[in-house]
Amino acid sequence: MNILQNMRFSFAFIQALLCTLVMSATAWPAGGQARTGETVIQKATEQFESSPLQTSYLDKGIWMFSGDGGNVTTIADQGSTLVIDSGVASRISELSDAIFKATSRPVTRLINTHWHFDHTGGNVYFGSLSVNIISQENVKNRLESAQDVPFIGLRDGYYPPQALPTVTYSSSMTLNQGGQHVTLANYGPAHTDGDTIIFISPANVAVVGDIFSNPFYPIIDLASAGSIDGMIHSLDQILAQTDAQTKIVPGHGPIATRSDLWDYRDMLVQVRQRIKALVEAGKTIDEAVAAAPTKEFDAKWGRGYVSPDVFVRIVFTSLTHSGNANR
Ligand SMILES: [Zn+2]
């Protein structure tokens, strides 16, 4: 089998596996009971459609908006607002109103932390207003082509031209907004192959996108080249760039501290080690799930979109089919 055929095989395998993951997903936060057959994304979407939009003040000129999909962060200066992520499409009017109410400045720039629908749903709206959209280069590639990711599922890509990034970068980029120095960094594939982590200084805020959902097991988008190794690698870079006072804005959930990020990183490393041992012992993916390698972590991390079983399947697949498993 040549390399191309191998790649096709891996992609098809991952797609098929993720279909299985979707059907077996059962957990939901906030005390919600599992509904058989609901996908991870269906459950997430229900929450995004119905949660109240909340505005949190972080620092001078900086706010966070949460509830309508991924967390949205804004930085205002004298005459404009820079927005990080754009929520889900259905709630863009509400989000836009809340941003203007908080900042009293028009939005002129939008950064996407990655391509998923709950972080780019407002791109059409902002792009239609000639807002400059900035992202890692792979985000543009994914938004302008068909994306068939079973466990993300709700978007097929083909975003209209006005929703596509107008400025892209490869590994890092800097810009200024008011008195803040804004650094965009990509440390290789982690949650997806187009993740951007944003460091805001001197406010000392780090916006990390879905590399961290607080406090849940993460979705790792294997079909978009994400991997467990990449997640840990990116986390190590973030930990190296932050300190005890840094406010960490996760992709979902409340603002966190660096110590929360350490706990999360430790959990990922231990889960990876345990599943790696099961792989090396020749266990099948079902046997790995049955071994409950995440058991001691489930009370803290297992009540989000991704149930413990689904998380084990994602990590197992990442370790056995990822091209960068040894990074
Ligand atoms: Zn995501």
Side-chain angles (χ1 to χ4, degrees), residues 114 116 118-119 191 210:
H114 62 293
H116 288 158
D118 51 329
H119 300 260
H191 172 66
D210 281 359

Side-chain angles (χ1 to χ4, degrees), residues 46-74:
E46 280 173 24
Q47 186 191 31
F48 300 154
E49 299 296 342
S50 60
S51 297
L53 184 62
Q54 296 186 328
T55 304
S56 310
Y57 180 73
L58 275 83
D59 200 337
K60 197 168 168 230
I62 305 178
W63 284 266
M64 180 180 96
F65 303 84
S66 53
D68 69 319
N71 288 329
V72 173
T73 308
T74 62

Side-chain angles (χ1 to χ4, degrees), residues 221-236:
D221 183 350
L222 306 179
S224 298
S227 72
I228 181 67
D229 292 326
M231 292 284 279
I232 293 167
H233 173 75
S234 282
L235 278 169
D236 285 342

Side-chain angles (χ1 to χ4, degrees), residues 28-110:
W28 186 237
Q33 292 300 305
R35 288 186 214 165
T36 310
E38 263 200 321
T39 68
V40 171
I41 293 305
Q42 281 170 335
K43 288 185 212 169
T45 303
E46 280 173 24
Q47 186 191 31
F48 300 154
E49 299 296 342
S50 60
S51 297
L53 184 62
Q54 296 186 328
T55 304
S56 310
Y57 180 73
L58 275 83
D59 200 337
K60 197 168 168 230
I62 305 178
W63 284 266
M64 180 180 96
F65 303 84
S66 53
D68 69 319
N71 288 329
V72 173
T73 308
T74 62
I75 313 169
D77 70 5
Q78 294 293 327
S80 69
T81 299
L82 180 154
V83 177
I84 302 170
D85 280 343
S86 60
V88 289
S90 60
R91 297 186 67 184
I92 187 58
S93 301
E94 188 186 358
L95 174 66
S96 173
D97 288 351
I99 291 172
F100 192 76
K101 195 175 164 195
T103 70
S104 306
R105 310 281 190 279
V107 174
T108 56
R109 291 186 286 189
L110 163 66

Side-chain angles (χ1 to χ4, degrees), residues 78-277:
Q78 294 293 327
S80 69
T81 299
L82 180 154
V83 177
I84 302 170
D85 280 343
S86 60
V88 289
S90 60
R91 297 186 67 184
I92 187 58
S93 301
E94 188 186 358
L95 174 66
S96 173
D97 288 351
I99 291 172
F100 192 76
K101 195 175 164 195
T103 70
S104 306
R105 310 281 190 279
V107 174
T108 56
R109 291 186 286 189
L110 163 66
I111 300 169
N112 290 142
T113 60
H114 62 293
W115 74 268
H116 288 158
F117 75 100
D118 51 329
H119 300 260
T120 55
N123 277 29
V124 173
Y125 173 86
F126 285 121
S128 301
L129 297 172
S130 299
V131 169
N132 274 319
I133 302 177
I134 305 163
S135 77
Q136 205 275 346
E137 59 198 9
N138 292 326
V139 172
K140 182 165 188 273
N141 297 337
R142 294 203 176 273
L143 291 180
E144 68 185 353
S145 58
Q147 296 299 317
D148 182 18
V149 185
F151 77 102
I152 296 301
L154 296 183
R155 281 278 189 184
D156 288 332
Y158 292 125
Y159 279 46
Q162 69 269 27
L164 299 176
T166 48
V167 177
T168 63
Y169 74 96
S170 177
S171 59
S172 76
M173 174 177 173
T174 58
L175 45 90
N176 291 297
Q177 175 72 4
Q180 302 295 339
H181 194 63
V182 181
T183 303
L184 288 64
N186 170 274
Y187 301 117
H191 172 66
T192 69
D193 62 0
D195 301 326
T196 289
I197 296 109
I198 298 108
F199 300 100
I200 307 165
S201 163
N204 200 5
V205 173
V207 181
V208 303
D210 281 359
I211 288 172
F212 182 38
S213 286
N214 187 21
F216 305 137
Y217 289 135
I219 288 174
I220 304 173
D221 183 350
L222 306 179
S224 298
S227 72
I228 181 67
D229 292 326
M231 292 284 279
I232 293 167
H233 173 75
S234 282
L235 278 169
D236 285 342
Q237 310 310 307
I238 296 165
L239 287 163
Q241 299 289 327
T242 50
D243 60 37
Q245 280 71 49
T246 307
K247 294 184 178 86
I248 311 274
V249 178
H252 300 267
I255 292 165
T257 64
R258 189 164 178 264
S259 125
D260 296 325
L261 215 55
W262 269 115
D263 289 348
Y264 173 65
R265 190 249 183 218
D266 285 349
M267 178 276 291
L268 291 184
V269 167
Q270 289 190 58
V271 168
R272 177 178 64 176
Q273 186 52 41
R274 289 174 192 189
I275 296 177
K276 208 175 243 178

